[in-house]
Amino acid sequence: MEKILIIDFGSQVTQLIGRRLRELNVYCEIHPFNKFPQLDSDVKGIILSGSPCSVRDENAPKVNLAGIKGRYPILGICYGAQYLAQNYGGCVNASIAREYGRAMLEVTDAESPLLKGVSRSSQVWMSHGDTIACLPLGAHVIASTADVENAAYSIDGEPTYAVQFHPEVFHTSEGSRILANFALDICGCSGDWTPASFIDTAIAEIRAKVGDDKVILGLSGGVDSTVAGVLLNKAIGHNLSCIFVNNGLLRKNEFEDVLESYKDMGLNVIGADASAEFLSALSGVSEPEKKRKIIGRLFVETFDRYARRIENARWLAQGTIYPDVIESAGINGTASKIKSHHNVGGLPEEMNLSIIEPLRSLFKDEVRRVGRALGIKDELISRHPFPGPSLGIRILGDVTEEKLKVLREADDIFIRGLRNYSLDGNKSAIEALAGPGAERVMSASDPTIEAHTLYDAIWQAGVILLPVKSVGVMGDERTYESTVALRAVISTDGMTADWVHLPYDFLASVSNEIINRVRGVNRVCYDVSSKPPATIEWE
Ligand code: XMP
């Protein structure tokens, strides 16, 4: 299968390169710089990513491009562009001012295959502290900005290109065109990688990997694990057993509702109630990473216990997707560690199961597309993401039964409200959710979901219980009760997100209903932070 290799030097946006290529139906793989993969005839080109490091540092990440540069098409992005300059006869200096944000790119060589069809002047996104002061040998400039003369260059007589800006981010308005020029024209990829072809390849890979072994899968009711389950079921049928763990931290009625929704899908699902264990292990623990670690460990232990009851169970399948991996990667992985996502912590050695994660390279909207191609019903496909650690990371501070009860009720009111607020046919109301002005729109939610209601139009919503009490007044009585925050975001992949401009009438009615009905809450706030710098979950 033809592919492009993306060599990851650790930039937070490396995975977006992959995403843009897949939008072009080009298959690609992201590999850390220190695990450079074997090159075979399937490899059509190589992209060198950005990095938080400086090429001038002694310990800067390095790759050996001997026998590769000149033979395979290469596109260096940001650090990648500087790396090519530094190592092939050019030079890189510290910028006088660090350059972050928007810039206007002026094409200086309209004949360059990389810039074919790109407007003479277009917006790009810069994020660098170093600048390419002189080009590598045999190179010439193909585009510049007001501050960066060598904003894009190519090396004559070989298919080597480099850009100082990030074509993969939304703010580079013609970035997809540049990546298409590289992948389709310069590398010659045919662009025929689709969800259907992913399914065929994934099924073949699963069969080759597990053979006749038994596999157990942790189902959560979310899109990712459901799609993983249906895919595995297609590949190995009755050799798959799915376990849905009640961790005691689920939303109102979720355990029962989710088990019910799996009934007619042909999956073999076991409901495992481990809520007492989770709640007792979390008792008195307030630190977010500690809570995440405890929850992760207990998930694994619960699976292990159930797996031992299944003869020949050798594999633990998980619905891990790409953003889970990248946000948990740690310095060697290589993006900076932000949070430990519950399902990427690895397995204890004594556990006799190997992990299989068929969706590990996909983004959420790609998973949804694969899910639709597998015939999964829309009700499941369009569910908002819900984190594995569940309400455990939406109760700030320690988790108790009492707090869970309060949060479940408030969350239920908010989510029901979103589902009941009709948007049918009101295009301007949908657009208004992103807020006024295109500048603020970082990304639109999954365009493949039809927005019948507020719930459909947004990426994810939930309520957070804050460890804050405040004074209120109800029926002439003083109250001293908790505060909840409502969170609703628009995103395409969870990597970046913006808060939703929910209609005031909606916020007013949800706030009213929560305060009137949920005992213990006398104040409702709305979270107006984007990611970055905030994250979607509060912990
Ligand atoms: P953050 O809070 O990092 O979340 O902006 C990004 C997306 O990931 C979800 N999330 C998780 N999903 N296991 C998961 O499966 C986890 O441990 C986890 N933590 C966060 C989050 O809900 C959002 O969609």
Side-chain angles (χ1 to χ4, degrees):
M1 183 165 56
E2 59 182 32
K3 60 184 163 199
I4 299 239
L5 298 181
I6 299 166
I7 305 302
D8 181 18
F9 289 117
S11 159
Q12 285 289 341
V13 286
T14 298
Q15 67 301 121
L16 289 181
I17 307 171
R19 186 191 163 78
R20 297 280 168 264
L21 291 178
R22 305 245 200 89
E23 282 168 0
L24 298 166
N25 294 331
V26 171
Y27 180 75
C28 60
E29 290 173 1
I30 302 179
H31 295 269
F33 72 92
N34 50 2
K35 294 195 182 124
F36 205 100
Q38 284 289 334
L39 296 187
D40 54 37
S41 58
D42 291 339
V43 175
K44 298 288 171 206
I46 294 163
I47 295 183
L48 305 176
S49 85
S51 172
C53 305
S54 163
V55 287
R56 296 173 302 107
D57 290 347
E58 210 177 299
N59 297 326
K62 292 179 182 60
V63 287
N64 183 359
L65 295 177
I68 297 175
K69 185 178 148 302
R71 253 187 77 211
Y72 288 87
I74 294 181
L75 174 64
I77 294 178
C78 194
Y79 180 93
Q82 295 166 357
Y83 187 82
L84 289 169
Q86 174 94 345
N87 287 280
Y88 293 95
C91 55
V92 175
N93 294 340
S95 300
I96 296 167
R98 286 156 78 82
E99 290 163 314
Y100 290 103
R102 292 171 186 76
M104 290 310 286
L105 185 78
E106 306 294 332
V107 173
T108 55
D109 178 1
E111 299 296 306
S112 171
L114 189 70
L115 301 178
K116 194 179 82 186
V118 173
S119 310
R120 240 200 129 65
S121 176
S122 66
Q123 178 179 290
V124 294
W125 192 65
M126 291 281 188
S127 177
H128 59 112
D130 284 346
T131 197
I132 297 165
C134 35
L135 295 177
L137 291 177
H140 77 275
V141 179
I142 55 175
S144 305
T145 69
D147 294 326
V148 182
E149 192 194 340
N150 299 325
Y153 64 81
S154 64
I155 298 186
D156 301 338
E158 59 181 74
T160 303
Y161 298 83
V163 292
Q164 177 59 76
F165 56 89
H166 287 269
E168 67 275 29
V169 306
F170 177 80
H171 290 114
T172 297
S173 55
E174 299 192 35
S176 288
R177 150 94 42 183
I178 294 172
L179 289 171
N181 287 342
F182 179 70
L184 304 178
D185 294 351
I186 295 167
C187 299
C189 292
S190 46
D192 57 3
W193 186 86
T194 59
S197 65
F198 171 83
I199 292 168
D200 292 342
T201 315
I203 287 177
E205 277 174 11
I206 293 166
R207 285 184 183 149
K209 205 165 188 176
V210 308
D212 290 330
D213 294 345
K214 295 261 185 343
V215 178
I216 58 167
L217 166 76
L219 272 186
S220 70
V223 186
D224 309 341
S225 58
T226 305
V227 173
V230 174
L231 192 60
L232 280 151
N233 191 41
K234 240 184 148 165
I236 59 168
H238 64 271
N239 277 349
L240 172 72
S241 302
C242 303
I243 298 168
F244 177 38
V245 177
N246 183 357
N247 59 11
L249 306 165
L250 299 175
R251 286 170 294 192
K252 192 172 172 183
N253 301 329
E254 191 164 23
F255 190 57
E256 300 73 18
D257 289 353
V258 166
L259 281 178
E260 183 62 35
S261 68
Y262 283 125
K263 272 204 172 132
D264 54 354
M265 291 177 64
L267 296 175
N268 165 24
V269 184
I270 304 161
D273 189 354
S275 45
E277 240 174 292
F278 276 77
L279 294 185
S280 117
L282 285 169
S283 166
V285 181
S286 301
E287 211 272 310
E289 273 298 291
K290 254 194 202 151
K291 289 202 274 184
R292 282 177 167 274
K293 289 271 158 60
I294 290 171
I295 295 168
R297 172 176 58 78
L298 285 175
F299 263 119
V300 169
E301 283 176 17
T302 312
F303 286 135
D304 191 28
R305 212 164 45 240
Y306 278 80
R308 282 174 204 278
R309 299 182 196 167
I310 298 166
E311 219 184 314
N312 271 336
R314 302 234 188 288
W315 298 86
L316 175 68
Q318 293 189 323
T320 311
I321 66 170
Y322 198 78
D324 300 335
V325 179
I326 199 76
E327 296 221 332
S328 306
I331 43 165
N332 295 324
T334 39
S336 302
K337 177 162 176 157
I338 303 196
K339 298 176 182 177
S340 305
H341 279 208
H342 78 293
N343 40 358
V344 286
L347 294 179
E349 267 179 30
E350 68 274 12
M351 194 167 161
N352 244 348
L353 296 175
S354 308
I355 286 192
I356 179 163
E357 297 173 318
L359 309 176
R360 201 179 160 85
S361 62
L362 299 190
F363 290 91
K364 188 72 123 199
D365 56 338
E366 293 172 329
V367 173
R368 286 200 169 108
R369 257 175 256 153
V370 168
R372 280 198 191 90
L374 284 166
I376 300 174
K377 51 191 171 197
D378 225 51
E379 168 200 326
L380 274 168
I381 296 281
S382 58
R383 284 188 74 175
H384 287 175
F386 186 60
S390 322
L391 301 183
I393 53 165
R394 291 189 183 166
I395 292 174
L396 305 198
D398 67 324
V399 177
T400 63
E401 292 268 19
E402 187 69 13
K403 290 181 188 174
L404 278 163
K405 203 165 150 236
V406 168
L407 182 53
R408 276 191 188 116
E409 291 305 320
D411 183 78
D412 184 54
I413 290 170
F414 185 37
I415 300 297
R416 241 183 325 106
L418 291 169
R419 284 193 186 280
N420 290 339
Y421 195 102
S422 172
L423 287 174
D424 265 343
N426 193 343
K427 204 162 172 274
S428 60
I430 297 169
E431 281 168 10
L433 294 173
E439 284 275 301
R440 292 194 64 264
V441 187
M442 296 174 75
S443 49
S445 281
D446 187 339
T448 62
I449 293 179
E450 270 184 59
H452 298 294
T453 66
L454 270 181
Y455 182 90
D456 301 327
I458 65 185
W459 160 268
Q460 184 172 5
V463 178
I464 297 98
L465 180 64
L466 308 186
V468 171
K469 286 198 169 186
S470 71
V471 175
V473 53
M474 268 187 198
D476 292 337
E477 291 284 326
R478 176 188 192 270
T479 59
Y480 186 58
E481 293 179 336
S482 295
T483 308
V484 293
L486 311 180
R487 183 81 164 131
V489 296
I490 297 183
S491 176
T492 45
D493 48 30
M495 300 298 296
T496 60
D498 214 348
W499 60 279
V500 181
H501 285 230
L502 287 174
Y504 281 168
D505 63 334
F506 172 77
L507 285 171
S509 82
V510 167
S511 162
N512 236 352
E513 197 177 339
I514 290 178
I515 292 173
N516 284 336
R517 294 198 178 193
V518 184
R519 261 173 195 271
V521 175
N522 68 353
R523 201 172 287 271
V524 174
C525 301
Y526 187 46
D527 181 351
V528 290
S529 340
S530 59
K531 171 183 181 177
T535 50
I536 296 174
E537 305 294 344
W538 282 41
E539 287 196 334

